[in-house]
Amino acid sequence: MTYYSVLDVTPTSEEWIANYLPAANELVIKHGGKYLARTTSHEQLEGDNRTASLRILLEWPSKEAAIAFMQDPEYLPHLEARTKGSISHHYVIAGKDDLA
């Protein structure tokens, strides 16, 4: 089953970004993922205001692939750098309709 990662990221420093992007790009591909959107062009249409500089949407072939990416030893130092250098929220969402 397809899974999606949805991230809200607001950098609090830019030190990590130059090293993060090429590594994350390579590791997303390694785990079968694909970026669907990485953009600062977004607006919130409802709910309590949850600001973020960047919204990211990835597609994964499975939940296991998404988790393998997050736990990849090559990714961990970059994840730590992103976590320290930003306010981030990451959601993994099953590509199904439970309400159908």
Side-chain angles (χ1 to χ4, degrees):
M1 173 187 309
T2 301
Y3 272 74
Y4 300 93
S5 283
V6 177
L7 293 95
D8 309 329
V9 179
T10 300
T12 55
S13 80
E14 295 191 10
E15 297 172 9
W16 59 275
I17 297 172
N19 290 328
Y20 180 89
L21 290 175
N25 293 345
E26 183 178 308
L27 291 165
V28 164
I29 292 168
K30 173 183 171 182
H31 291 282
K34 177 172 85 171
Y35 286 101
L36 300 178
R38 288 187 283 183
T39 184
T40 58
S41 300
H42 54 81
E43 63 183 280
Q44 185 172 340
L45 298 179
E46 69 176 282
D48 294 335
N49 189 23
R50 185 157 195 165
T51 60
S53 298
L54 182 64
R55 306 279 182 181
I56 303 162
L57 177 61
L58 294 108
E59 179 179 271
W60 301 102
S62 65
K63 182 178 181 180
E64 293 77 19
I67 292 171
F69 164 74
M70 291 297 292
Q71 295 177 347
D72 189 311
E74 292 180 56
Y75 181 62
L76 292 178
H78 301 287
L79 173 60
E80 181 180 335
R82 178 175 60 78
T83 302
K84 286 182 180 178
S86 72
I87 299 166
S88 299
H89 303 94
H90 185 169
Y91 309 89
V92 178
I93 301 169
K96 65 179 184 168
D97 185 349
D98 289 334
L99 303 178

PDB file of all heavy atoms in Angstrom, residues 12-13 16 79-87:
ATOM      1  N   THR A  12      15.177  27.105  11.870  1.00  0.00           N
ATOM      2  CA  THR A  12      15.570  28.079  12.887  1.00  0.00           C
ATOM      3  C   THR A  12      17.027  28.481  12.700  1.00  0.00           C
ATOM      4  O   THR A  12      17.499  29.416  13.316  1.00  0.00           O
ATOM      5  CB  THR A  12      15.350  27.519  14.306  1.00  0.00           C
ATOM      6  OG1 THR A  12      16.047  26.278  14.422  1.00  0.00           O
ATOM      7  CG2 THR A  12      13.864  27.310  14.569  1.00  0.00           C
ATOM      8  N   SER A  13      17.726  27.720  11.850  1.00  0.00           N
ATOM      9  CA  SER A  13      19.077  28.064  11.390  1.00  0.00           C
ATOM     10  C   SER A  13      19.211  27.462   9.994  1.00  0.00           C
ATOM     11  O   SER A  13      18.453  26.574   9.609  1.00  0.00           O
ATOM     12  CB  SER A  13      20.156  27.516  12.322  1.00  0.00           C
ATOM     13  OG  SER A  13      20.386  26.152  12.070  1.00  0.00           O
ATOM     14  N   TRP A  16      22.381  23.574   8.544  1.00  0.00           N
ATOM     15  CA  TRP A  16      22.176  22.170   8.203  1.00  0.00           C
ATOM     16  C   TRP A  16      21.693  21.962   6.772  1.00  0.00           C
ATOM     17  O   TRP A  16      21.831  20.872   6.220  1.00  0.00           O
ATOM     18  CB  TRP A  16      21.177  21.546   9.180  1.00  0.00           C
ATOM     19  CG  TRP A  16      19.841  22.219   9.180  1.00  0.00           C
ATOM     20  CD1 TRP A  16      19.489  23.330   9.898  1.00  0.00           C
ATOM     21  CD2 TRP A  16      18.683  21.857   8.437  1.00  0.00           C
ATOM     22  NE1 TRP A  16      18.191  23.681   9.654  1.00  0.00           N
ATOM     23  CE2 TRP A  16      17.668  22.786   8.749  1.00  0.00           C
ATOM     24  CE3 TRP A  16      18.391  20.845   7.528  1.00  0.00           C
ATOM     25  CZ2 TRP A  16      16.392  22.731   8.198  1.00  0.00           C
ATOM     26  CZ3 TRP A  16      17.121  20.784   6.983  1.00  0.00           C
ATOM     27  CH2 TRP A  16      16.143  21.716   7.308  1.00  0.00           C
ATOM     28  N   LEU A  79      18.943  13.844   9.982  1.00  0.00           N
ATOM     29  CA  LEU A  79      17.707  14.011  10.740  1.00  0.00           C
ATOM     30  C   LEU A  79      17.980  14.795  12.020  1.00  0.00           C
ATOM     31  O   LEU A  79      17.236  15.716  12.373  1.00  0.00           O
ATOM     32  CB  LEU A  79      17.099  12.645  11.066  1.00  0.00           C
ATOM     33  CG  LEU A  79      15.890  12.643  12.001  1.00  0.00           C
ATOM     34  CD1 LEU A  79      14.737  13.449  11.417  1.00  0.00           C
ATOM     35  CD2 LEU A  79      15.472  11.207  12.301  1.00  0.00           C
ATOM     36  N   GLU A  80      19.054  14.446  12.701  1.00  0.00           N
ATOM     37  CA  GLU A  80      19.419  15.150  13.930  1.00  0.00           C
ATOM     38  C   GLU A  80      19.696  16.627  13.641  1.00  0.00           C
ATOM     39  O   GLU A  80      19.252  17.510  14.386  1.00  0.00           O
ATOM     40  CB  GLU A  80      20.649  14.497  14.569  1.00  0.00           C
ATOM     41  CG  GLU A  80      21.063  15.153  15.862  1.00  0.00           C
ATOM     42  CD  GLU A  80      22.280  14.494  16.492  1.00  0.00           C
ATOM     43  OE1 GLU A  80      22.527  13.308  16.236  1.00  0.00           O
ATOM     44  OE2 GLU A  80      22.971  15.195  17.258  1.00  0.00           O
ATOM     45  N   ALA A  81      20.401  16.905  12.552  1.00  0.00           N
ATOM     46  CA  ALA A  81      20.702  18.291  12.189  1.00  0.00           C
ATOM     47  C   ALA A  81      19.420  19.058  11.858  1.00  0.00           C
ATOM     48  O   ALA A  81      19.255  20.203  12.285  1.00  0.00           O
ATOM     49  CB  ALA A  81      21.665  18.331  11.007  1.00  0.00           C
ATOM     50  N   ARG A  82      18.503  18.413  11.115  1.00  0.00           N
ATOM     51  CA  ARG A  82      17.229  19.069  10.783  1.00  0.00           C
ATOM     52  C   ARG A  82      16.421  19.315  12.040  1.00  0.00           C
ATOM     53  O   ARG A  82      15.835  20.382  12.224  1.00  0.00           O
ATOM     54  CB  ARG A  82      16.414  18.232   9.789  1.00  0.00           C
ATOM     55  CG  ARG A  82      15.057  18.879   9.475  1.00  0.00           C
ATOM     56  CD  ARG A  82      14.281  18.139   8.420  1.00  0.00           C
ATOM     57  NE  ARG A  82      13.944  16.778   8.698  1.00  0.00           N
ATOM     58  CZ  ARG A  82      12.954  16.371   9.494  1.00  0.00           C
ATOM     59  NH1 ARG A  82      12.199  17.248  10.138  1.00  0.00           N
ATOM     60  NH2 ARG A  82      12.713  15.087   9.665  1.00  0.00           N
ATOM     61  N   THR A  83      16.380  18.338  12.920  1.00  0.00           N
ATOM     62  CA  THR A  83      15.624  18.467  14.161  1.00  0.00           C
ATOM     63  C   THR A  83      16.167  19.601  15.028  1.00  0.00           C
ATOM     64  O   THR A  83      15.397  20.375  15.595  1.00  0.00           O
ATOM     65  CB  THR A  83      15.652  17.131  14.931  1.00  0.00           C
ATOM     66  OG1 THR A  83      15.097  16.117  14.091  1.00  0.00           O
ATOM     67  CG2 THR A  83      14.854  17.208  16.208  1.00  0.00           C
ATOM     68  N   LYS A  84      17.484  19.711  15.113  1.00  0.00           N
ATOM     69  CA  LYS A  84      18.094  20.780  15.911  1.00  0.00           C
ATOM     70  C   LYS A  84      17.963  22.139  15.244  1.00  0.00           C
ATOM     71  O   LYS A  84      17.916  23.157  15.926  1.00  0.00           O
ATOM     72  CB  LYS A  84      19.572  20.476  16.161  1.00  0.00           C
ATOM     73  CG  LYS A  84      19.805  19.385  17.169  1.00  0.00           C
ATOM     74  CD  LYS A  84      21.283  19.174  17.414  1.00  0.00           C
ATOM     75  CE  LYS A  84      21.500  18.076  18.432  1.00  0.00           C
ATOM     76  NZ  LYS A  84      22.936  17.821  18.652  1.00  0.00           N
ATOM     77  N   GLY A  85      17.921  22.153  13.918  1.00  0.00           N
ATOM     78  CA  GLY A  85      17.930  23.413  13.183  1.00  0.00           C
ATOM     79  C   GLY A  85      16.591  23.830  12.620  1.00  0.00           C
ATOM     80  O   GLY A  85      16.539  24.678  11.719  1.00  0.00           O
ATOM     81  N   SER A  86      15.506  23.232  13.127  1.00  0.00           N
ATOM     82  CA  SER A  86      14.187  23.600  12.614  1.00  0.00           C
ATOM     83  C   SER A  86      13.103  23.198  13.606  1.00  0.00           C
ATOM     84  O   SER A  86      13.343  22.430  14.531  1.00  0.00           O
ATOM     85  CB  SER A  86      13.914  22.904  11.271  1.00  0.00           C
ATOM     86  OG  SER A  86      13.690  21.518  11.461  1.00  0.00           O
ATOM     87  N   ILE A  87      11.933  23.723  13.347  1.00  0.00           N
ATOM     88  CA  ILE A  87      10.720  23.219  13.991  1.00  0.00           C
ATOM     89  C   ILE A  87      10.056  22.363  12.923  1.00  0.00           C
ATOM     90  O   ILE A  87       9.710  22.872  11.850  1.00  0.00           O
ATOM     91  CB  ILE A  87       9.802  24.369  14.430  1.00  0.00           C
ATOM     92  CG1 ILE A  87      10.526  25.263  15.432  1.00  0.00           C
ATOM     93  CG2 ILE A  87       8.491  23.829  14.994  1.00  0.00           C
ATOM     94  CD1 ILE A  87       9.849  26.593  15.669  1.00  0.00           C
TER      95      ILE A  87
END
